[in-house]
Amino acid sequence: RMDVLANNLANAATNGYKKEGTTSESFKTVFADKIKDTSEAPNTARRIGTMMPGVKIGDNYTDYSEGPIKTTGNPYDLALTGKGFFAVEYKNKAGDTSTKYTRDGNFTVTSDGYLTTQDGDYVLDDNGRHIKLDTAKDSSIASNGSIYQDGSQVATIQIADFDDYTKLEKFGENYYQPKDADTTKATAAEGTEVRQGYLETSNISVVTEMVSMIAIQRQYEANQKLITTFDSSLDKTVNDLGRI
């Protein structure tokens, strides 16, 4: 839990970052048996009760709620209001390309006119193609993602969505991808608006994360003291009572 909180705090200033959380679940019940006890039946192990050995971390989850919107005035800073993701063509070190998804709309235009992320990954249009603009002209982006230059539409930014976000996973570099690309397909987002000159910030509350971190530290300290107490009790049982 501390690792998850620390990662959240480290990304508090990351555009479009979605906070992670953890669930807790109990260890499976362990059964205690009497062995080598002939009082009831010869050499038959009988259950004498159960032991609950505590709690462990269950599944991690991602909170996809929308983060606050901030004004930048940059024409290629885009924020999404509603569900959905920008589609980006990602190229790995081996040169293989694949489509990733992000809420970070901090885009730029290269010298040759392509709309890309700050890392140079191409932003895709609604047909999965690279978006090329005229660098000598101003761009106006409508709420549906359509890009206009000199009053003419030149491209439409792809806004993708998924029916079940639990089938997504974090890829890294603020990207998401389907856990199984063969069964989880992106669809066009409905009711989502693109806001030009804005960026969606992280949905993390630094105060909330700090309070949770303090609570975890206190819980950890309490467990340490509990273990020390048990160790002290066992020490007296073995060394003092055994001597008597």
Side-chain angles (χ1 to χ4, degrees), residues 155-181:
T156 299
I157 298 172
Q158 180 181 160
I159 309 301
D161 198 14
F162 297 88
D163 294 333
D164 186 357
Y165 283 7
T166 62
K167 295 181 179 179
L168 296 179
E169 63 182 0
K170 287 189 175 182
F171 172 76
E173 301 183 37
N174 216 7
Y175 289 154
Y176 297 86
Q177 65 180 4
K179 295 178 181 177
D180 187 346

Side-chain angles (χ1 to χ4, degrees), residues 76-95:
Y76 297 111
D77 280 345
L78 307 177
L80 297 178
T81 57
K83 300 178 66 177
F85 303 86
F86 297 107
V88 174
E89 183 184 270
Y90 173 79
K91 179 182 288 187
N92 62 20
K93 293 182 179 179

Side-chain angles (χ1 to χ4, degrees), residues 8-225:
N8 285 342
L9 286 171
N11 286 280
T14 302
N15 294 323
Y17 181 82
K18 302 304 178 187
K19 69 175 291 186
E20 292 183 322
T22 57
T23 60
S24 299
E25 62 183 24
S26 63
F27 283 97
K28 292 182 179 179
T29 300
V30 178
F31 297 102
D33 294 333
K34 293 197 296 183
I35 59 175
K36 296 182 180 179
D37 185 351
T38 60
S39 61
E40 297 183 27
N43 300 316
T44 300
R46 290 185 178 274
R47 185 181 305 165
I48 60 174
T50 61
M51 293 186 298
M52 299 300 294
V55 177
K56 66 176 180 179
I57 292 298
D59 295 327
N60 285 9
Y61 65 88
T62 301
D63 178 3
Y64 288 98
S65 60
E66 190 174 328
I69 304 296
K70 68 177 180 181
T71 304
T72 66
N74 187 328
Y76 297 111
D77 280 345
L78 307 177
L80 297 178
T81 57
K83 300 178 66 177
F85 303 86
F86 297 107
V88 174
E89 183 184 270
Y90 173 79
K91 179 182 288 187
N92 62 20
K93 293 182 179 179
D96 301 323
T97 59
S98 59
T99 302
K100 307 300 180 187
Y101 303 92
T102 183
R103 294 281 298 192
D104 183 3
N106 183 207
F107 301 139
T108 187
V109 175
T110 62
S111 58
D112 50 357
Y114 286 101
L115 185 66
T116 69
T117 67
Q118 295 296 326
D119 293 327
D121 297 323
Y122 292 103
V123 180
L124 301 179
D125 67 7
D126 53 358
N127 291 314
R129 300 172 300 192
H130 300 171
I131 297 174
K132 189 170 185 179
L133 306 173
D134 187 342
T135 56
K137 300 178 181 178
D138 294 332
S139 297
S140 174
I141 303 176
S143 60
N144 65 351
S146 298
I147 304 177
Y148 295 87
Q149 290 189 316
D150 281 350
S152 300
Q153 182 177 346
V154 295
T156 299
I157 298 172
Q158 180 181 160
I159 309 301
D161 198 14
F162 297 88
D163 294 333
D164 186 357
Y165 283 7
T166 62
K167 295 181 179 179
L168 296 179
E169 63 182 0
K170 287 189 175 182
F171 172 76
E173 301 183 37
N174 216 7
Y175 289 154
Y176 297 86
Q177 65 180 4
K179 295 178 181 177
D180 187 346
D182 294 330
T183 59
T184 305
K185 302 296 183 181
T187 58
E190 297 182 2
T192 302
E193 293 186 355
V194 179
R195 300 185 63 181
Q196 185 179 19
Y198 295 85
L199 284 176
E200 179 186 4
T201 60
S202 168
N203 66 350
I204 293 170
S205 168
V206 175
V207 174
T208 300
E209 298 300 298
M210 290 298 297
V211 170
S212 298
M213 182 172 287
I214 293 172
I216 290 173
Q217 289 175 325
R218 295 294 181 266
Q219 293 165 5
Y220 187 79
E221 291 170 0
N223 278 278
Q224 282 183 311
K225 292 179 180 178

